[in-house]
Amino acid sequence: MSIFGLIEYKDASPEVRAVYDDIMATRKTDHINNFWKAIAHDPATLKRTWESIKQIMAPGALDPLTKELIYMAVSVTNGCRYCIASHGAAARKKGMTPQQHAELVAIIGLANETNRHAAALDLQIDDQFL
Amino acid sequence: MSIFGLIEYKDASPEVRAVYDDIMATRKTDHINNFWKAIAHDPATLKRTWESIKQIMAPGALDPLTKELIYMAVSVTNGCRYCIASHGAAARKKGMTPQQHAELVAIIGLANETNRHAAALDLQIDDQFL
Amino acid sequence: MSIFGLIEYKDASPEVRAVYDDIMATRKTDHINNFWKAIAHDPATLKRTWESIKQIMAPGALDPLTKELIYMAVSVTNGCRYCIASHGAAARKKGMTPQQHAELVAIIGLANETNRHAAALDLQIDDQFL
Amino acid sequence: MSIFGLIEYKDASPEVRAVYDDIMATRKTDHINNFWKAIAHDPATLKRTWESIKQIMAPGALDPLTKELIYMAVSVTNGCRYCIASHGAAARKKGMTPQQHAELVAIIGLANETNRHAAALDLQIDDQFL
Amino acid sequence: MSIFGLIEYKDASPEVRAVYDDIMATRKTDHINNFWKAIAHDPATLKRTWESIKQIMAPGALDPLTKELIYMAVSVTNGCRYCIASHGAAARKKGMTPQQHAELVAIIGLANETNRHAAALDLQIDDQFL
Amino acid sequence: MSIFGLIEYKDASPEVRAVYDDIMATRKTDHINNFWKAIAHDPATLKRTWESIKQIMAPGALDPLTKELIYMAVSVTNGCRYCIASHGAAARKKGMTPQQHAELVAIIGLANETNRHAAALDLQIDDQFL
C-alpha cells in the first residue's frame, strides 16, 4: 500500500493535473504510474522530479533504451522492486529483447561481484586510469 | 595499497600466466590491470572471474560500450572507486564521449533519487507492470 | 512472515517480560512492536538493542522528532520496509506533519542523487572542509 | 583527483558563471565547492542540481540544520566521503554542536544496525503501522 | 511473481536439464529452487552461476556451514529477502542452530553499525593494519 | 584524517581510560585502534559500542574466527575500508589463513552477484523456505 494513497486525475489540483497532462502527452499514453500519483501529495517534488526525468531520459548522446538499461542497473543494485518493475516495463516498450534483458542481468550481477572483490582487496588504481 | 600485493607476469605461476596471456590477447593490450594482479593470489578465482567477464562482456545482444555503461552504473551506485576508474577507462577506449559520460552520470543520480522516493512512499506496483 | 515467529507477552520469559514492561512504560503505550517480539527469541540482543535505543533516542542535544527523521533517512536509504513503516508511525506520533514528511523525502532523494554524482566524479575534498 | 578536473570561475562559460554567481549570492560566500566545479563540465546537470538543492534545502517546514543532518545521515549510510566532509562543514556553519554531531553519528549507527535486524528476521509490518 | 516465470524440469531444454540434474545430484535433493528455475531462461547464466556456486561453496579451507553464514551476512546487508530465505534454509540444513543464528544476526547488526561509525568519522587506518 | 582527531590514552578522561583499559585487558594488547580513539569524543557511544562488541564477539555458539569472517563480509559489502583493514588484521590474528581469506572473498563476491540476480528477477520464495 502506498503510504499516502494515490491521487487520481479526477481528484487532482490544477497544478498536479498540468504535470499529469504533460506526462501523458510526452509519453503518448493515458496511464499515469503509481509513482506520480503517490508523489503528487507534494506538488513541488512532483513537478521537479518530472522535469528532471523528462530532461534526463530524453534522447541525447545516449538512446532512450540504453538510458533505461542504466536506470535498471541502478534499481537492481539498490533492490528497488517498484523501480525494477516500472523501468523493466519501460525498457520493454522501448524495444528491450529477452536476450538483452538476460545480458543486462548478467552484467549487473558480475559488476556487483567484482566491485566487492575490489573492495576486499583494497585495490590501488592503476596509473593508466588516473 | 592492495592487501596482498600484486603478482607481476615475471613472478606468476604458469597457471596465472595463462590467464594473463588470454587477457592480453583478448583485449589486444600488454597491460594487465591491478585487479587481475591482486586477485591472482587465488588462481581459481582469477580464472573463474576472467572467464565470466570474457563471456559476459563480449559483444552480444548489447554492444560492448553499452555493457561498460551498465557496469559503471553499478560501480558508481556501490561507490567502488577502483571500478569507476577502470571501467571509465574501458568505456572511453570503447568510444564513450564526454557527452555520453555526462548523461550516464545524470541518469545514475536520478535513478538513485527516485529509487528512494519509491522506497519512502512504499509504492505498490501498477497492475500494468505485473 | 517473521522468520522465528513472534513472542507474545503471555508466552514470554520473565527476562523478556522485563524488557517489554520497560518499553511500554518508557513509551507510554501498551503496544509492543513486532520488532521486539521477533528479536525476543534472543534475549541478550533484545535487552542490548532496547537499551541502546532507549539511550540514543531519548531527548538530548537533538529533539526526539529530529532523531526520528534521521532514523527514517537511514531506513529509506537502506530500503528497509519495516523500519520505514515503524519509524514513520513513530515520527507522526512525535508530531511530524505531512509537509515535514514531504521535505524529508525530497532531501533523502536529493542526497542519494548527489552522493552518486560525487562518487562518479571521484571528487577531491575541498581544503576548507579538511 | 576529480575525474574531469575543476572549472574555475575565470575559465567558466557565461552559463556556468551565472550558476556560480547564484550559489555565492544565495550562500553569502565567495567559495564554490569542488562539487560544483566538477559537475560544471555538464552545464545542464549543474543548473538542474543547483536549482534542486536551492529549493529543497531552503528553510521550510524543516529548519536548515535539520535538513543538513538528514543529508548527512544519507551520506554516511552510502559511505560518500566527499559528501560527509562538505555537508559536515555546512552543518557546523548552520550551528551543529559537537554534542549534536555525536548524537547524529549514534543514531545513524543504530538505524543501520536495526535495519539489518529487521531484514534478517523478515519482519512483518504491525497492523498499527499500515 | 518471478519476472520471467519459472521453468519446470519437464519443460526444460536438455541443456537446462543437465544443470538441474547436476544440482540435484550434488545437493542430494529432488528440489530445484525457484532461483534456478527463473534464471534458466538464460541458459548461459544458469550454467555459469551454478558452476561458480558449486566450486565456491564446496568444502574447502572453510567448512560449508561457515560459508553459508558468510553468504547470509551479505544477503542481509543487501536486504535480499529471497536470498535470506533460501540460504537460511541451506544453513539450517547444514546444522545452523538457533543460537548460532541469533549470534549471526547480532554480528551483522553490529558490523553495519560500526561500519557507519567509521564512515562518519572518516577514520584513518592504523599503521599496524597496513 | 579522522574528523575529530584521536584521543590518546594520556589525554583521556578517567571515563574513557576505563574503557581503554578494558579493551587492552580483554584483547591482551597495548594497542588501542584508531576507531576507539576517534569515537572517544563521545564517551557514551564509546562505552556502549565497546560493551556491545565485547559481548557479541566473545566466543559463543560461533567461534571467534567465524565471527570475524562474518564481520568482514558485512564490511566488504558496505565498502568500509577502515573496517576491512582492522577486521582483516583481527581475523589474521585469530588464525585466518590466506586460503580461508581467498575463499571468504570469493563467497562475498558470489553472494553480491546472486543477490542482484534475485532482485532483478523478483524471485518468489519457495514454499519450502517459508
Side-chain angles (χ1 to χ4, degrees), chain B residues 78-111:
Chain B
N78 284 330
C80 179
R81 277 192 80 216
Y82 182 86
C83 313
I84 294 167
S86 64
H87 286 275
R92 282 189 295 275
K93 200 170 162 185
K94 291 176 182 170
M96 180 178 69
T97 66
Q99 183 56 25
Q100 288 175 322
H101 192 175
E103 293 186 8
L104 171 68
V105 172
I107 299 166
I108 294 171
L110 176 68

mmCIF file of all heavy atoms in Angstrom, chain B residues 78-111:
data_model
loop_
_atom_site.group_PDB
_atom_site.id
_atom_site.type_symbol
_atom_site.label_atom_id
_atom_site.label_comp_id
_atom_site.label_asym_id
_atom_site.label_seq_id
_atom_site.Cartn_x
_atom_site.Cartn_y
_atom_site.Cartn_z
ATOM 1 N N ASN B 78 27.511 1.549 -6.062
ATOM 2 C CA ASN B 78 28.190 0.890 -4.949
ATOM 3 C C ASN B 78 29.358 1.710 -4.391
ATOM 4 O O ASN B 78 29.975 1.313 -3.404
ATOM 5 C CB ASN B 78 28.720 -0.482 -5.380
ATOM 6 C CG ASN B 78 27.620 -1.515 -5.474
ATOM 7 O OD1 ASN B 78 26.625 -1.442 -4.757
ATOM 8 N ND2 ASN B 78 27.797 -2.485 -6.366
ATOM 9 N N GLY B 79 29.698 2.806 -5.052
ATOM 10 C CA GLY B 79 30.802 3.633 -4.574
ATOM 11 C C GLY B 79 32.155 2.957 -4.670
ATOM 12 O O GLY B 79 33.026 3.167 -3.827
ATOM 13 N N CYS B 80 32.373 2.158 -5.715
ATOM 14 C CA CYS B 80 33.653 1.441 -5.879
ATOM 15 C C CYS B 80 34.622 2.286 -6.707
ATOM 16 O O CYS B 80 34.544 2.313 -7.945
ATOM 17 C CB CYS B 80 33.403 0.104 -6.579
ATOM 18 S SG CYS B 80 34.926 -0.827 -6.836
ATOM 19 N N ARG B 81 35.540 2.976 -6.019
ATOM 20 C CA ARG B 81 36.469 3.890 -6.712
ATOM 21 C C ARG B 81 37.282 3.184 -7.786
ATOM 22 O O ARG B 81 37.452 3.710 -8.885
ATOM 23 C CB ARG B 81 37.470 4.502 -5.718
ATOM 24 C CG ARG B 81 36.944 5.700 -4.974
ATOM 25 C CD ARG B 81 38.104 6.380 -4.260
ATOM 26 N NE ARG B 81 38.867 7.213 -5.173
ATOM 27 C CZ ARG B 81 40.191 7.389 -5.140
ATOM 28 N NH1 ARG B 81 40.920 6.775 -4.214
ATOM 29 N NH2 ARG B 81 40.803 8.158 -6.012
ATOM 30 N N TYR B 82 37.838 2.023 -7.434
ATOM 31 C CA TYR B 82 38.684 1.324 -8.398
ATOM 32 C C TYR B 82 37.897 1.001 -9.665
ATOM 33 O O TYR B 82 38.375 1.198 -10.787
ATOM 34 C CB TYR B 82 39.252 0.027 -7.798
ATOM 35 C CG TYR B 82 40.158 -0.650 -8.774
ATOM 36 C CD1 TYR B 82 41.499 -0.294 -8.857
ATOM 37 C CD2 TYR B 82 39.677 -1.594 -9.678
ATOM 38 C CE1 TYR B 82 42.336 -0.853 -9.803
ATOM 39 C CE2 TYR B 82 40.498 -2.160 -10.631
ATOM 40 C CZ TYR B 82 41.832 -1.789 -10.687
ATOM 41 O OH TYR B 82 42.648 -2.347 -11.633
ATOM 42 N N CYS B 83 36.675 0.499 -9.465
ATOM 43 C CA CYS B 83 35.863 0.046 -10.598
ATOM 44 C C CYS B 83 35.424 1.226 -11.459
ATOM 45 O O CYS B 83 35.347 1.115 -12.686
ATOM 46 C CB CYS B 83 34.645 -0.706 -10.076
ATOM 47 S SG CYS B 83 35.086 -1.908 -8.795
ATOM 48 N N ILE B 84 35.134 2.352 -10.831
ATOM 49 C CA ILE B 84 34.762 3.549 -11.586
ATOM 50 C C ILE B 84 35.931 3.981 -12.453
ATOM 51 O O ILE B 84 35.760 4.322 -13.631
ATOM 52 C CB ILE B 84 34.344 4.671 -10.608
ATOM 53 C CG1 ILE B 84 33.052 4.275 -9.868
ATOM 54 C CG2 ILE B 84 34.166 5.994 -11.341
ATOM 55 C CD1 ILE B 84 32.724 5.152 -8.669
ATOM 56 N N ALA B 85 37.135 3.939 -11.895
ATOM 57 C CA ALA B 85 38.326 4.342 -12.653
ATOM 58 C C ALA B 85 38.615 3.363 -13.785
ATOM 59 O O ALA B 85 38.852 3.767 -14.935
ATOM 60 C CB ALA B 85 39.530 4.446 -11.722
ATOM 61 N N SER B 86 38.586 2.074 -13.488
ATOM 62 C CA SER B 86 38.995 1.103 -14.512
ATOM 63 C C SER B 86 37.932 0.955 -15.605
ATOM 64 O O SER B 86 38.267 0.889 -16.792
ATOM 65 C CB SER B 86 39.333 -0.252 -13.884
ATOM 66 O OG SER B 86 38.208 -0.830 -13.278
ATOM 67 N N HIS B 87 36.664 0.943 -15.217
ATOM 68 C CA HIS B 87 35.632 0.808 -16.252
ATOM 69 C C HIS B 87 35.368 2.138 -16.961
ATOM 70 O O HIS B 87 34.894 2.142 -18.099
ATOM 71 C CB HIS B 87 34.361 0.180 -15.677
ATOM 72 C CG HIS B 87 34.561 -1.285 -15.427
ATOM 73 N ND1 HIS B 87 34.385 -2.226 -16.409
ATOM 74 C CD2 HIS B 87 34.992 -1.955 -14.341
ATOM 75 C CE1 HIS B 87 34.679 -3.422 -15.926
ATOM 76 N NE2 HIS B 87 35.054 -3.291 -14.663
ATOM 77 N N GLY B 88 35.694 3.234 -16.322
ATOM 78 C CA GLY B 88 35.638 4.513 -17.026
ATOM 79 C C GLY B 88 36.671 4.526 -18.147
ATOM 80 O O GLY B 88 36.380 4.937 -19.280
ATOM 81 N N ALA B 89 37.877 4.050 -17.843
ATOM 82 C CA ALA B 89 38.923 3.966 -18.868
ATOM 83 C C ALA B 89 38.502 3.020 -19.990
ATOM 84 O O ALA B 89 38.691 3.307 -21.181
ATOM 85 C CB ALA B 89 40.232 3.492 -18.229
ATOM 86 N N ALA B 90 37.905 1.886 -19.592
ATOM 87 C CA ALA B 90 37.466 0.913 -20.606
ATOM 88 C C ALA B 90 36.375 1.511 -21.500
ATOM 89 O O ALA B 90 36.367 1.306 -22.719
ATOM 90 C CB ALA B 90 36.952 -0.359 -19.918
ATOM 91 N N ALA B 91 35.466 2.257 -20.878
ATOM 92 C CA ALA B 91 34.374 2.858 -21.665
ATOM 93 C C ALA B 91 34.921 3.894 -22.651
ATOM 94 O O ALA B 91 34.484 3.957 -23.810
ATOM 95 C CB ALA B 91 33.341 3.485 -20.730
ATOM 96 N N ARG B 92 35.874 4.692 -22.181
ATOM 97 C CA ARG B 92 36.454 5.690 -23.097
ATOM 98 C C ARG B 92 37.155 5.003 -24.270
ATOM 99 O O ARG B 92 37.067 5.424 -25.413
ATOM 100 C CB ARG B 92 37.431 6.606 -22.344
ATOM 101 C CG ARG B 92 36.711 7.676 -21.516
ATOM 102 C CD ARG B 92 37.661 8.711 -20.936
ATOM 103 N NE ARG B 92 38.581 8.139 -19.954
ATOM 104 C CZ ARG B 92 38.298 7.974 -18.663
ATOM 105 N NH1 ARG B 92 37.119 8.340 -18.174
ATOM 106 N NH2 ARG B 92 39.182 7.445 -17.837
ATOM 107 N N LYS B 93 37.844 3.897 -23.964
ATOM 108 C CA LYS B 93 38.536 3.142 -25.016
ATOM 109 C C LYS B 93 37.539 2.594 -26.039
ATOM 110 O O LYS B 93 37.862 2.434 -27.211
ATOM 111 C CB LYS B 93 39.295 2.001 -24.343
ATOM 112 C CG LYS B 93 40.414 1.403 -25.152
ATOM 113 C CD LYS B 93 41.242 0.459 -24.284
ATOM 114 C CE LYS B 93 42.080 -0.483 -25.116
ATOM 115 N NZ LYS B 93 42.779 -1.460 -24.246
ATOM 116 N N LYS B 94 36.332 2.292 -25.572
ATOM 117 C CA LYS B 94 35.305 1.744 -26.468
ATOM 118 C C LYS B 94 34.448 2.843 -27.090
ATOM 119 O O LYS B 94 33.424 2.554 -27.681
ATOM 120 C CB LYS B 94 34.432 0.747 -25.696
ATOM 121 C CG LYS B 94 35.191 -0.531 -25.326
ATOM 122 C CD LYS B 94 34.369 -1.484 -24.484
ATOM 123 C CE LYS B 94 35.234 -2.713 -24.117
ATOM 124 N NZ LYS B 94 34.588 -3.577 -23.120
ATOM 125 N N GLY B 95 34.860 4.094 -26.881
ATOM 126 C CA GLY B 95 34.203 5.172 -27.617
ATOM 127 C C GLY B 95 33.293 6.099 -26.830
ATOM 128 O O GLY B 95 32.645 6.974 -27.413
ATOM 129 N N MET B 96 33.213 5.947 -25.518
ATOM 130 C CA MET B 96 32.340 6.831 -24.748
ATOM 131 C C MET B 96 32.785 8.285 -24.908
ATOM 132 O O MET B 96 33.938 8.621 -24.645
ATOM 133 C CB MET B 96 32.373 6.458 -23.261
ATOM 134 C CG MET B 96 31.464 7.350 -22.406
ATOM 135 S SD MET B 96 31.455 6.865 -20.649
ATOM 136 C CE MET B 96 33.140 7.318 -20.140
ATOM 137 N N THR B 97 31.871 9.144 -25.307
ATOM 138 C CA THR B 97 32.189 10.568 -25.447
ATOM 139 C C THR B 97 31.923 11.284 -24.126
ATOM 140 O O THR B 97 31.190 10.775 -23.265
ATOM 141 C CB THR B 97 31.301 11.198 -26.528
ATOM 142 O OG1 THR B 97 29.938 11.158 -26.072
ATOM 143 C CG2 THR B 97 31.412 10.458 -27.849
ATOM 144 N N PRO B 98 32.508 12.481 -23.948
ATOM 145 C CA PRO B 98 32.216 13.260 -22.735
ATOM 146 C C PRO B 98 30.709 13.498 -22.556
ATOM 147 O O PRO B 98 30.199 13.459 -21.441
ATOM 148 C CB PRO B 98 32.974 14.568 -22.963
ATOM 149 C CG PRO B 98 34.102 14.187 -23.865
ATOM 150 C CD PRO B 98 33.547 13.128 -24.771
ATOM 151 N N GLN B 99 29.999 13.728 -23.650
ATOM 152 C CA GLN B 99 28.565 13.979 -23.534
ATOM 153 C C GLN B 99 27.836 12.714 -23.056
ATOM 154 O O GLN B 99 26.921 12.783 -22.225
ATOM 155 C CB GLN B 99 27.999 14.461 -24.876
ATOM 156 C CG GLN B 99 26.513 14.817 -24.841
ATOM 157 C CD GLN B 99 26.183 15.867 -23.794
ATOM 158 O OE1 GLN B 99 27.038 16.672 -23.401
ATOM 159 N NE2 GLN B 99 24.952 15.835 -23.280
ATOM 160 N N GLN B 100 28.251 11.566 -23.561
ATOM 161 C CA GLN B 100 27.642 10.311 -23.091
ATOM 162 C C GLN B 100 27.954 10.088 -21.615
ATOM 163 O O GLN B 100 27.098 9.640 -20.846
ATOM 164 C CB GLN B 100 28.157 9.130 -23.931
ATOM 165 C CG GLN B 100 27.585 9.108 -25.352
ATOM 166 C CD GLN B 100 28.177 8.016 -26.212
ATOM 167 O OE1 GLN B 100 29.382 7.721 -26.135
ATOM 168 N NE2 GLN B 100 27.357 7.412 -27.052
ATOM 169 N N HIS B 101 29.193 10.413 -21.225
ATOM 170 C CA HIS B 101 29.571 10.262 -19.824
ATOM 171 C C HIS B 101 28.695 11.154 -18.945
ATOM 172 O O HIS B 101 28.197 10.734 -17.908
ATOM 173 C CB HIS B 101 31.059 10.605 -19.640
ATOM 174 C CG HIS B 101 31.602 10.218 -18.297
ATOM 175 N ND1 HIS B 101 32.917 10.341 -17.957
ATOM 176 C CD2 HIS B 101 30.997 9.701 -17.201
ATOM 177 C CE1 HIS B 101 33.097 9.921 -16.719
ATOM 178 N NE2 HIS B 101 31.953 9.538 -16.240
ATOM 179 N N ALA B 102 28.495 12.393 -19.378
ATOM 180 C CA ALA B 102 27.671 13.321 -18.606
ATOM 181 C C ALA B 102 26.239 12.794 -18.466
ATOM 182 O O ALA B 102 25.633 12.884 -17.395
ATOM 183 C CB ALA B 102 27.675 14.693 -19.271
ATOM 184 N N GLU B 103 25.708 12.240 -19.546
ATOM 185 C CA GLU B 103 24.340 11.713 -19.474
ATOM 186 C C GLU B 103 24.287 10.497 -18.555
ATOM 187 O O GLU B 103 23.327 10.305 -17.790
ATOM 188 C CB GLU B 103 23.828 11.372 -20.875
ATOM 189 C CG GLU B 103 23.656 12.632 -21.735
ATOM 190 C CD GLU B 103 23.011 12.371 -23.088
ATOM 191 O OE1 GLU B 103 22.552 11.233 -23.330
ATOM 192 O OE2 GLU B 103 22.972 13.304 -23.914
ATOM 193 N N LEU B 104 25.313 9.648 -18.631
ATOM 194 C CA LEU B 104 25.382 8.492 -17.734
ATOM 195 C C LEU B 104 25.321 8.932 -16.277
ATOM 196 O O LEU B 104 24.541 8.402 -15.470
ATOM 197 C CB LEU B 104 26.693 7.731 -17.989
ATOM 198 C CG LEU B 104 27.037 6.616 -17.001
ATOM 199 C CD1 LEU B 104 26.069 5.448 -17.137
ATOM 200 C CD2 LEU B 104 28.472 6.129 -17.204
ATOM 201 N N VAL B 105 26.138 9.914 -15.921
ATOM 202 C CA VAL B 105 26.187 10.384 -14.533
ATOM 203 C C VAL B 105 24.827 10.948 -14.106
ATOM 204 O O VAL B 105 24.349 10.693 -12.996
ATOM 205 C CB VAL B 105 27.302 11.444 -14.361
ATOM 206 C CG1 VAL B 105 27.241 12.085 -12.978
ATOM 207 C CG2 VAL B 105 28.677 10.812 -14.600
ATOM 208 N N ALA B 106 24.193 11.679 -15.007
ATOM 209 C CA ALA B 106 22.887 12.267 -14.676
ATOM 210 C C ALA B 106 21.839 11.171 -14.423
ATOM 211 O O ALA B 106 21.033 11.262 -13.493
ATOM 212 C CB ALA B 106 22.431 13.200 -15.790
ATOM 213 N N ILE B 107 21.846 10.139 -15.259
ATOM 214 C CA ILE B 107 20.862 9.053 -15.087
ATOM 215 C C ILE B 107 21.121 8.308 -13.778
ATOM 216 O O ILE B 107 20.192 7.984 -13.038
ATOM 217 C CB ILE B 107 20.924 8.056 -16.270
ATOM 218 C CG1 ILE B 107 20.608 8.766 -17.581
ATOM 219 C CG2 ILE B 107 19.946 6.891 -16.052
ATOM 220 C CD1 ILE B 107 20.978 7.945 -18.816
ATOM 221 N N ILE B 108 22.389 8.017 -13.495
ATOM 222 C CA ILE B 108 22.720 7.317 -12.253
ATOM 223 C C ILE B 108 22.223 8.111 -11.046
ATOM 224 O O ILE B 108 21.631 7.560 -10.120
ATOM 225 C CB ILE B 108 24.246 7.090 -12.144
ATOM 226 C CG1 ILE B 108 24.729 6.125 -13.227
ATOM 227 C CG2 ILE B 108 24.620 6.564 -10.751
ATOM 228 C CD1 ILE B 108 26.253 6.022 -13.335
ATOM 229 N N GLY B 109 22.448 9.416 -11.080
ATOM 230 C CA GLY B 109 21.985 10.253 -9.970
ATOM 231 C C GLY B 109 20.468 10.222 -9.846
ATOM 232 O O GLY B 109 19.915 10.008 -8.762
ATOM 233 N N LEU B 110 19.801 10.396 -10.973
ATOM 234 C CA LEU B 110 18.330 10.422 -10.989
ATOM 235 C C LEU B 110 17.744 9.109 -10.481
ATOM 236 O O LEU B 110 16.797 9.102 -9.680
ATOM 237 C CB LEU B 110 17.858 10.674 -12.428
ATOM 238 C CG LEU B 110 16.351 10.634 -12.662
ATOM 239 C CD1 LEU B 110 15.675 11.813 -11.976
ATOM 240 C CD2 LEU B 110 16.042 10.638 -14.161
ATOM 241 N N ALA B 111 18.280 7.991 -10.944
ATOM 242 C CA ALA B 111 17.721 6.695 -10.543
ATOM 243 C C ALA B 111 17.930 6.471 -9.053
ATOM 244 O O ALA B 111 17.049 5.952 -8.355
ATOM 245 C CB ALA B 111 18.374 5.569 -11.356
#
